[in-house]
Amino acid sequence: TTLSHFKITAKLGEGGMGEVYRAEDTKLGRDVAIKVLPDAVAQDPERLARFEREAKVLAALNHPNIAAIYSLESATIVDGVGEPLAGPREGASPSPRTIHFLVMELAEGMDLAERLGRGAIPVDEVLQIALQLAEGLEAAHEKGIIHRDLKPANIKIDDESKVKVLDFGLAKALDPMTVTGTDQDRNQSPPALSLSPTLTAQMTGAGVILGTAAYMSPEQAKGRTADKRADIWAFGLVCFEMLTGKKLFAAESVAETLAGVIKTDVEFDELPDDVPLAFRRLLRRCLERDPRNRLHDIADGRIVLEEILSGSPDETGATPQIS
């Protein structure tokens, strides 16, 4: 029930990036979110050291639309003692082990995936959410940090419509790519899980792309290196889903989903009639499959959204230049 000076009060969820708990910081008297690192990271000294370096970079992010990382901590627990953390392994007697965990800002509210469970979102509200997403992405990209796993489940919206993006940069921080050898060695290693946006706690083998396939960019789906344009693709997908209530490319299997990401055309005619022309054009630029033709900088998208919301662009004529 406790990790160091953090009192666990509830389990919030779990996924490939670890189990997440709500906790009380008894030293500072505030509620926080605790993400327990997967064993594959915590038990590998090289990967843990790499994660620690990445965590320091992520902790430098300071933006109102990004859930902050406060610290990386560790604590020793005894398996089977103190729920809600994992109980004893079958056939094993209780024994002490070290838990490594991130302490993060607790983002209140409903995640966007839950909100989309009720259907499409009105255009005016989508524009407000999209602007905040763009501002958060811009701040991170300026520091060289790519999300790599932007999706509705990683976006929180509170009662005042304030947006927080969760898990910024954790996909890279949890990357199983080798941390020894030359850059050439790394480039020759199989794409496998290192390019997957959501890593699983059970990494079963190289060459298998796991995670939230429906929000991967085409280059990620092909096993290529992702840069900030992968986030811009995911931003376009999230906006399209908010406007239509339709999850693009989702299929019954990962293979079918990835095939859709690579080949299936985006039906822009499905956008509601009241979507501003400038926003339609922006989404087309975000959802270009060839990253060379895709919007290169989310700051340009942020400018378009600000002008739409201010009422300044001519919806029947030219829109602001976006690169």
Side-chain angles (χ1 to χ4, degrees):
T1 56
T2 61
L3 288 174
S4 183
H5 57 278
F6 300 96
K7 181 180 179 181
I8 307 296
T9 56
K11 185 172 183 177
L12 299 178
E14 61 183 302
M17 295 191 190
E19 298 177 333
V20 185
Y21 299 88
R22 187 184 187 109
E24 178 189 353
D25 182 337
T26 58
K27 283 188 176 180
L28 297 179
R30 64 179 176 183
D31 287 337
V32 297
I34 282 179
K35 184 179 288 287
V36 178
L37 300 190
D39 283 344
V41 175
Q43 304 306 318
D44 183 333
E46 288 189 1
R47 286 192 62 196
L48 183 60
R50 183 177 186 275
F51 183 88
E52 289 173 346
R53 292 195 297 271
E54 292 292 340
K56 289 179 181 178
V57 175
L58 300 178
L61 274 179
N62 182 18
H63 191 273
N65 296 122
I66 298 174
I69 290 179
Y70 296 143
S71 63
L72 177 61
E73 306 278 350
S74 62
T76 299
I77 68 166
V78 177
D79 278 347
V81 178
E83 294 294 338
L85 292 176
R89 297 179 179 87
E90 185 176 353
S93 58
S95 59
R97 65 185 176 113
T98 300
I99 297 290
H100 298 275
F101 58 96
L102 281 172
V103 182
M104 304 182 297
E105 176 184 358
L106 180 65
E108 301 283 7
M110 176 185 296
D111 69 47
L112 184 56
E114 293 177 87
R115 172 63 182 83
L116 285 168
R118 305 202 300 258
I121 299 173
V123 173
D124 288 347
E125 187 177 347
V126 171
L127 287 167
Q128 295 288 349
I129 294 171
L131 177 59
Q132 294 179 72
L133 289 177
E135 289 174 336
L137 288 172
E138 181 181 0
H141 290 175
E142 286 177 348
K143 292 184 177 292
I145 299 172
I146 307 167
H147 193 294
R148 288 179 171 82
D149 193 22
L150 186 67
K151 58 185 178 182
N154 279 338
I155 299 166
K156 283 270 192 176
I157 305 174
D158 68 14
D159 294 338
E160 297 179 351
S161 298
K162 302 296 183 184
V163 171
K164 290 276 186 184
V165 182
L166 313 180
D167 287 354
F168 227 112
L170 288 190
K172 181 182 179 184
L174 290 166
D175 193 333
M177 183 180 293
T178 56
V179 295
T180 58
T182 64
D183 288 339
Q184 184 177 4
D185 293 333
R186 297 191 189 101
N187 291 337
Q188 291 176 347
S189 63
L193 299 170
S194 65
L195 298 182
S196 173
T198 303
L199 307 178
T200 65
Q202 296 79 32
M203 295 172 188
T204 54
V208 182
I209 298 179
L210 302 173
T212 314
Y215 298 94
M216 294 176 74
S217 66
E219 57 270 26
Q220 285 174 297
K222 294 176 182 178
R224 297 173 183 169
T225 303
D227 61 20
K228 65 182 182 180
R229 290 170 294 182
D231 281 352
I232 291 173
W233 170 273
F235 168 83
L237 288 183
V238 170
C239 289
F240 192 98
E241 186 172 343
M242 287 193 289
L243 290 166
T244 63
K246 176 183 177 181
K247 183 181 295 185
L248 286 171
F249 311 127
E252 292 184 359
S253 70
V254 172
E256 291 173 305
T257 299
L258 294 180
V261 169
I262 294 170
K263 295 182 179 179
T264 302
D265 291 335
V266 178
E267 299 293 339
F268 290 100
D269 290 344
E270 294 183 0
L271 292 172
D273 293 339
D274 58 343
V275 174
L277 178 60
F279 198 13
R280 290 174 182 269
R281 291 178 173 172
L282 174 60
L283 292 180
R284 285 183 177 274
R285 293 296 300 276
C286 290
L287 294 175
E288 285 280 355
R289 279 196 166 80
D290 187 340
R292 296 173 301 173
N293 298 330
R294 196 176 305 152
L295 187 74
H296 277 39
D297 199 313
I298 195 64
D300 294 325
R302 188 256 306 160
I303 292 169
V304 171
L305 290 165
E306 287 179 338
E307 293 190 328
I308 294 172
L309 287 165
S310 69
S312 61
D314 179 358
E315 297 300 340
T316 61
T319 58
Q321 183 66 37
I322 52 180
S323 60

Short mmCIF file of all heavy atoms in Angstrom, two decimals, residues 7 43 66 119 121 127 133 140 148 155 165 178 184 196 225 234 251 280 288:
data_model
loop_
_atom_site.label_atom_id
_atom_site.label_comp_id
_atom_site.label_asym_id
_atom_site.label_seq_id
_atom_site.Cartn_x
_atom_site.Cartn_y
_atom_site.Cartn_z
N LYS A 7 1.65 6.94 -0.58
CA LYS A 7 0.59 6.04 -0.13
C LYS A 7 -0.34 5.76 -1.31
O LYS A 7 -0.99 6.66 -1.84
CB LYS A 7 -0.20 6.67 1.02
CG LYS A 7 -1.31 5.78 1.55
CD LYS A 7 -2.06 6.46 2.69
CE LYS A 7 -3.18 5.57 3.21
NZ LYS A 7 -3.94 6.24 4.30
N GLN A 43 14.52 -4.66 -14.55
CA GLN A 43 15.48 -5.73 -14.25
C GLN A 43 16.69 -5.72 -15.18
O GLN A 43 17.58 -6.55 -15.04
CB GLN A 43 14.78 -7.09 -14.34
CG GLN A 43 13.56 -7.24 -13.46
CD GLN A 43 13.83 -6.91 -12.00
OE1 GLN A 43 14.86 -7.30 -11.45
NE2 GLN A 43 12.91 -6.19 -11.36
N ILE A 66 0.88 19.47 -20.87
CA ILE A 66 1.62 18.22 -20.74
C ILE A 66 1.67 17.84 -19.28
O ILE A 66 2.07 18.65 -18.43
CB ILE A 66 3.05 18.35 -21.30
CG1 ILE A 66 3.01 18.68 -22.80
CG2 ILE A 66 3.85 17.07 -21.05
CD1 ILE A 66 4.38 18.96 -23.40
N GLY A 119 -19.57 9.32 -28.81
CA GLY A 119 -19.76 9.77 -30.18
C GLY A 119 -18.91 10.96 -30.54
O GLY A 119 -18.03 11.39 -29.77
N ILE A 121 -17.57 14.77 -31.45
CA ILE A 121 -17.53 15.98 -30.62
C ILE A 121 -17.82 17.19 -31.51
O ILE A 121 -17.36 17.25 -32.65
CB ILE A 121 -16.14 16.11 -29.97
CG1 ILE A 121 -15.88 14.89 -29.05
CG2 ILE A 121 -16.01 17.40 -29.17
CD1 ILE A 121 -14.47 14.84 -28.48
N LEU A 127 -11.97 22.15 -32.05
CA LEU A 127 -10.97 23.18 -32.34
C LEU A 127 -10.21 23.59 -31.07
O LEU A 127 -8.99 23.78 -31.10
CB LEU A 127 -11.63 24.40 -32.98
CG LEU A 127 -12.10 24.22 -34.44
CD1 LEU A 127 -13.01 25.37 -34.85
CD2 LEU A 127 -10.90 24.15 -35.38
N LEU A 133 -3.71 20.57 -27.92
CA LEU A 133 -2.82 19.48 -28.30
C LEU A 133 -1.64 20.00 -29.10
O LEU A 133 -0.48 19.61 -28.87
CB LEU A 133 -3.58 18.44 -29.14
CG LEU A 133 -4.62 17.58 -28.44
CD1 LEU A 133 -5.30 16.67 -29.46
CD2 LEU A 133 -3.98 16.75 -27.34
N ALA A 140 7.02 20.36 -26.80
CA ALA A 140 7.88 19.17 -26.70
C ALA A 140 8.82 19.06 -27.89
O ALA A 140 10.02 18.79 -27.73
CB ALA A 140 7.01 17.92 -26.60
N ARG A 148 5.36 9.80 -29.79
CA ARG A 148 5.41 8.46 -30.38
C ARG A 148 4.19 7.59 -30.06
O ARG A 148 4.07 6.49 -30.60
CB ARG A 148 6.67 7.69 -29.96
CG ARG A 148 7.94 8.20 -30.61
CD ARG A 148 9.15 7.40 -30.13
NE ARG A 148 10.35 7.72 -30.89
CZ ARG A 148 11.13 8.76 -30.66
NH1 ARG A 148 10.83 9.61 -29.69
NH2 ARG A 148 12.20 9.00 -31.40
N ILE A 155 -4.84 11.31 -23.66
CA ILE A 155 -5.23 12.72 -23.61
C ILE A 155 -6.33 12.87 -22.57
O ILE A 155 -7.38 12.22 -22.66
CB ILE A 155 -5.74 13.20 -24.99
CG1 ILE A 155 -4.63 13.07 -26.04
CG2 ILE A 155 -6.24 14.65 -24.91
CD1 ILE A 155 -5.13 13.20 -27.47
N VAL A 165 -1.73 16.13 -22.06
CA VAL A 165 -1.22 14.97 -22.78
C VAL A 165 -0.38 14.15 -21.82
O VAL A 165 0.51 14.68 -21.14
CB VAL A 165 -0.39 15.39 -24.00
CG1 VAL A 165 0.07 14.15 -24.77
CG2 VAL A 165 -1.21 16.29 -24.92
N THR A 178 19.14 -1.63 -28.08
CA THR A 178 20.38 -1.81 -27.33
C THR A 178 21.02 -0.46 -27.05
O THR A 178 20.95 0.46 -27.85
CB THR A 178 21.37 -2.68 -28.10
OG1 THR A 178 21.60 -2.10 -29.38
CG2 THR A 178 20.84 -4.08 -28.27
N GLN A 184 25.93 2.73 -35.80
CA GLN A 184 25.70 1.85 -36.94
C GLN A 184 25.07 0.54 -36.49
O GLN A 184 24.16 0.02 -37.12
CB GLN A 184 27.02 1.58 -37.66
CG GLN A 184 26.84 0.74 -38.93
CD GLN A 184 28.16 0.55 -39.67
OE1 GLN A 184 29.20 0.98 -39.20
NE2 GLN A 184 28.10 -0.10 -40.82
N SER A 196 7.81 0.49 -31.91
CA SER A 196 6.41 0.41 -31.53
C SER A 196 6.08 1.52 -30.54
O SER A 196 6.84 1.78 -29.61
CB SER A 196 6.12 -0.94 -30.87
OG SER A 196 4.81 -0.97 -30.36
N THR A 225 12.24 4.66 -38.81
CA THR A 225 12.43 5.58 -37.69
C THR A 225 11.37 6.68 -37.71
O THR A 225 11.04 7.22 -38.76
CB THR A 225 13.83 6.21 -37.75
OG1 THR A 225 14.80 5.16 -37.75
CG2 THR A 225 14.06 7.12 -36.56
N ALA A 234 -0.45 11.40 -36.03
CA ALA A 234 -1.36 10.97 -34.96
C ALA A 234 -2.28 12.11 -34.54
O ALA A 234 -3.46 11.89 -34.25
CB ALA A 234 -0.54 10.48 -33.76
N ALA A 251 -8.91 -2.38 -37.14
CA ALA A 251 -9.40 -3.63 -37.72
C ALA A 251 -9.31 -4.73 -36.67
O ALA A 251 -8.93 -4.48 -35.53
CB ALA A 251 -8.59 -3.98 -38.97
N ARG A 280 -10.04 21.62 -42.63
CA ARG A 280 -10.00 20.48 -43.56
C ARG A 280 -8.64 20.41 -44.25
O ARG A 280 -8.05 19.33 -44.38
CB ARG A 280 -11.10 20.63 -44.63
CG ARG A 280 -12.52 20.45 -44.11
CD ARG A 280 -13.53 20.77 -45.20
NE ARG A 280 -14.89 20.63 -44.70
CZ ARG A 280 -15.60 19.50 -44.78
NH1 ARG A 280 -15.07 18.44 -45.35
NH2 ARG A 280 -16.82 19.45 -44.29
N GLU A 288 -0.96 13.24 -44.72
CA GLU A 288 -0.21 12.82 -45.91
C GLU A 288 0.63 11.61 -45.54
O GLU A 288 1.39 11.64 -44.57
CB GLU A 288 0.70 13.95 -46.40
CG GLU A 288 -0.02 15.08 -47.10
CD GLU A 288 -0.35 14.73 -48.55
OE1 GLU A 288 0.06 13.65 -49.02
OE2 GLU A 288 -1.02 15.55 -49.21
#
